[in-house]
Amino acid sequence: MNAIATGTDPILEIDGLRTEFRLRGGTITAVNDLDLTIRPGETVALVGESGSGKSVTSLSVMRLLARKVGAIAAGSVRFRGKDGTVRDLVTLDEESMRQVRGNDIAMVFQEPMTSLNPVYTIGDQISEPMRVHQGTPKGEAWDAAVALLEKVGIPDPRRRAGQYPHELSGGMRQRATIAMALACDPMLLIADEPTTALDVTIQAQILELMQALQRDTGMGMLFVTHNLGVVAEIAHRVAVMYAGRLIEDGPVREVFRNPRHPYTVGLLKSMPKLGDATRMKKAGETLNAIPGMVPSLRNLPSGCSFAPRCSYAIDACRAAVPPLAAVSENHHSRCIRWQEVRP
Amino acid sequence: MLRYTLHRLLIGAGMLLALSVLIFILLRLTPGDPIDAYIDPNVAISQEEMAALRTRLGLDQPLPVQYFAWLSQAVQGNLGYSIQRFDQTVAGLIAQRMGPTLLLMAAGLTIAIVVGITAGVIGAIRRNTLPDLSLSVLALVGISSPAFLTALLGLYVFSVRLHWTPSGGMLTPATPFSLLDLLHHLILPAIVLSVGYTSLIMRYTRASMLEVLNQDYVRTARAKGVKEFWVIVKHTLRNALLPVVTLIGSTIGLAVGGAIFIETVFNWPGMGLLLVDAVGTRDYPVIMGATLVIGAAVIVVNILTDLTYAVVDPRIKVA
Ligand SMILES: Nc1ncnc2c1ncn2[C@@H]1O[C@H](COP(=O)(O)OP(=O)(O)O)[C@@H](O)[C@H]1O
Ligand SMILES: [Mg+2]
């Protein structure tokens, strides 16, 4: 684990991404000037408190933002497809983008209870991407779906394929949605808090499964979570978001051992110990040991958004948004006092 | 599924029985003696003759006995004879009139379902645009216009003014049967019958579509790269129709009421016209028979709706 990414060309290069929502009472910037790179076989964890823009980032890559409300305002998302050509997904026409979805980039969502269609069988829903993208005949796609169910560890897959979502447990359903995402052998898997809705033992099983599948397929993975324990377990690199901006990124081991942004330090301090997760889930707690509140995107403080909660904050922090400083070659921090930050 | 079906059938049978009791009691509660209908008021009749007639018709028996006598005949398909048309059995009359009513209702419902669902889907996927707003206004007008207004307005505009459609009847008398002639007579009453229904179905479909479009599984379908057309038809509409199916089934009774009214306005030779004529002439056997058959039809449709629902929604089976 935590191996430094291989030297191969990136499959995904997000550059200066800015996503806005036009709402009553003004425009908010949910993702601001975000850079992120993912290489084949690499898992990048996107972490941050609720509302920091993690889901919006994933949906921007997929171009699945709520139409009319949300739109990518700036930046590029260069993606290297199965055929090796690199294209900017931001400017891709809708039909080509549709062919990317579920085929080159697949997605697993947070809620296994609601992300499967209640009126179609599991087998039907898993075979759909193959029918849509590869024109696989129905029977053949069904057999492939059964094989996929077996691959994600569902016992008695042939019977399960014929069942409806409500006949499966939460963990089973999440395995089924993972099988669905893998149907077309994607280059990149985006998982938006895939284990958050599950209880701890199931959570661990699903993480293990996703790791194993990634090793087998060599796909890249963008793993969205607000749980640093999960990050430590699954990711090679981590990117921390705060109020729509990336504030620190780097290899997991390095960031965990040597965090260079006060917010990351706070997150790590509030990281639940083993076994705490259940307690916290029961009590409805989240990572909240940092004093103060996440600022509203509607009126962000000037300069560094974290400054009002930060014990290191000085006037310069409030004057301008700090640039991403290079701590080392692949470790960055958006803090002007990163050298002074103590873990 | 079998248990569910049996359960629904049993409930339906109970409802039908209750309905028959209700019809029987209501008719006996209405002022006037049923015997009057059998007597010519201009001919003198003695008390003995009257009593004899009562005995022959069974009207001297206690009410429950009369009810069971009527019911046991009814279940065998014998609904008695019409008082006004001595030569005709009630069952025969109903059989004659059933076809036209079914035709009118089927045409009206088909229009309502096709137009209502299409308009609802368009409204939902183009929500808050000009097409959606125009459709919503039309639906509001459609729902709030009373049937007599639509019917008379339709007659006035299309029949009296424009001469596009005949003003009543089902076929042109004294001409050989032609399908075109039938459709020509059918179109206006069918549309008038469908107006309120179309609006209702449209509003339901639109609201239901909007709700389903927000569901996670619709986003999942898009994330799989499903074409937008199929996202709408396969992943959204299929789910959105579940409450619409119930709506259609459970309001079919209203459509029957509407049909009765429209038949009288357009002189359509169906059950409604039969019933209204019978009420006017106090033709009790016909009133009872027709009401029973109409009620039975509504109950059967409701059972079919529930069963359809169970087929379309796999989650029902466990219940
Ligand atoms: N559909 C939407 N409409 C309006 N605002 C949205 C929408 N989705 C996200 N946002 C805004 O973007 C912010 C970030 O949301 P999100 O990316 O979902 O956070 P998270 O990091 O918890 O996944 C939210 O606080 C909200 O203000
Ligand atoms: Mg989220």
Side-chain angles (χ1 to χ4, degrees), chain B residues 96-98 100-101 169-170 263 266-271 273-274:
Chain B
Q96 272 174 30
R97 301 301 194 92
M98 191 94 96
T101 293
M170 189 168 78
E263 284 181 7
F266 288 90
N267 203 26
W268 188 263
M271 296 278 287
L273 202 57
L274 177 71

Side-chain angles (χ1 to χ4, degrees), chain A residues 98 114-115 120 125 128 133, chain B residues 216 220 224-225 234-235 239:
Chain A
R98 184 190 65 74
T114 52
S115 50
Y120 297 107
Q125 297 186 60
E128 193 172 24
H133 294 295
Chain B
D216 288 349
T220 305
K224 284 200 280 189
K234 187 180 167 192
H235 289 275
N239 287 280

Side-chain angles (χ1 to χ4, degrees), chain B residues 35-269:
Chain B
I35 198 100
D36 292 347
Y38 292 88
I39 314 169
D40 186 339
N42 303 316
V43 180
I45 184 167
S46 72
Q47 285 298 327
E48 289 77 46
E49 280 173 316
M50 192 98 135
L53 186 60
R54 252 181 223 286
T55 317
R56 190 161 66 77
L57 295 170
L59 291 172
D60 57 342
Q61 303 285 322
L63 276 184
V65 175
Q66 288 187 34
Y67 167 73
F68 281 111
W70 172 69
L71 187 68
S72 71
Q73 288 300 310
V75 294
Q76 297 168 44
N78 179 8
L79 294 169
Y81 287 84
S82 163
I83 300 174
Q84 299 301 321
R85 311 168 214 227
F86 299 103
D87 49 336
Q88 304 227 38
T89 63
V90 173
L93 274 173
I94 290 175
Q96 272 174 30
R97 301 301 194 92
M98 191 94 96
T101 293
L102 286 178
L103 181 67
L104 178 62
M105 288 199 52
L109 277 179
T110 309
I111 295 172
I113 289 171
V114 171
V115 178
I117 289 177
T118 312
V121 170
I122 292 173
I125 56 184
R126 298 254 175 278
R127 73 172 165 287
N128 298 338
T129 61
L130 192 64
D132 175 36
L133 295 177
S134 339
L135 285 171
S136 293
V137 170
L138 275 179
L140 199 67
V141 172
I143 285 181
S144 36
S145 318
F148 72 85
L149 195 70
T150 351
L152 295 179
L153 206 67
L155 264 180
Y156 179 74
V157 174
F158 296 106
S159 185
V160 178
R161 286 269 127 177
L162 298 169
H163 299 292
W164 287 359
T165 58
S167 63
M170 189 168 78
L171 296 164
T172 312
T175 53
F177 174 84
S178 95
L179 191 63
L180 214 64
D181 183 44
L182 176 65
L183 289 177
H184 196 204
H185 282 82
L186 176 62
I187 185 85
L188 188 58
I191 288 178
V192 170
L193 177 61
S194 76
V195 167
Y197 233 164
T198 308
S199 315
L200 199 64
I201 292 177
M202 186 209 132
R203 281 167 57 131
Y204 250 72
T205 308
R206 181 181 179 276
S208 180
M209 281 289 290
L210 285 179
E211 198 181 310
V212 177
L213 278 169
N214 270 325
Q215 296 291 317
D216 288 349
Y217 54 79
V218 174
R219 186 184 56 186
T220 305
R222 293 209 173 99
K224 284 200 280 189
V226 176
K227 287 202 169 92
E228 189 58 22
F229 177 81
W230 294 113
V231 170
I232 297 297
V233 173
K234 187 180 167 192
H235 289 275
T236 311
L237 185 58
R238 168 83 194 266
N239 287 280
L241 282 184
L242 297 179
V244 179
V245 170
T246 319
L247 170 83
I248 294 171
S250 57
T251 50
I252 221 125
L254 292 178
V256 173
I260 290 177
F261 174 75
I262 282 163
E263 284 181 7
T264 52
V265 174
F266 288 90
N267 203 26
W268 188 263

Side-chain angles (χ1 to χ4, degrees), chain A residues 21-23 28-31 47-59 65-66 69-70 110 192-193 224 226 241 244 297:
Chain A
F21 286 93
R22 271 192 307 275
L23 305 170
I28 60 162
T29 306
V31 175
V47 294
E49 283 164 287
S50 175
S52 54
K54 308 181 298 289
S55 296
V56 173
T57 304
S58 343
L59 293 174
L65 296 160
V69 210
Q110 177 172 350
D192 190 351
E193 312 218 21
V224 174
H226 62 249
M241 283 186 84
L297 292 176

Side-chain angles (χ1 to χ4, degrees), chain A residues 65-82:
Chain A
L65 296 160
R67 275 168 237 185
K68 287 184 188 160
V69 210
I72 298 173
S76 64
V77 177
R78 281 187 301 280
F79 175 74
R80 188 153 53 84
K82 285 178 184 168

